[in-house]
Amino acid sequence: MKTILITGTTSGLGLILANSYIQKGWNVIGISRSESILQHYYANYRHFQIDISDYKEVENVFKEFGVIDVLVNNAAEIGRAHV
């Protein structure tokens, strides 16, 4: 079974992609700053709640799992434009 890691899985495109790959039978690893609704419903979904701008947090999480077949780096920082 293949494994995909997707960042930003609590909403938007990340949530849609995670749900799609879960339904296809992939092992899905989700990373976001918030809790994911998916973690309560699917055995093939594993969620890590971290801030990906913190290098040490990311490094520690990557030690938790083995081979990743696909990485979707979808997380975004939304800020206000300074005019």
Side-chain angles (χ1 to χ4, degrees), residues 65-79:
F65 39 80
V67 175
I68 298 169
D69 298 295
V70 178
L71 167 65
V72 178
N73 193 11
N74 173 67
E77 171 101 16
I78 299 174

Side-chain angles (χ1 to χ4, degrees), residues 35-70:
E35 187 174 312
S36 172
I37 61 170
L38 297 173
Q39 68 196 51
H40 302 291
Y41 300 106
Y42 301 102
N44 59 328
Y45 181 79
R46 188 165 176 204
H47 188 77
F48 293 90
Q49 187 175 339
I50 66 165
D51 180 354
I52 64 167
S53 68
D54 184 329
Y55 174 78
K56 284 292 184 192
E57 282 190 62
V58 173
E59 185 177 54
N60 288 335
V61 165
F62 270 78
K63 292 176 184 176
E64 292 284 323
F65 39 80
V67 175
I68 298 169
D69 298 295
V70 178

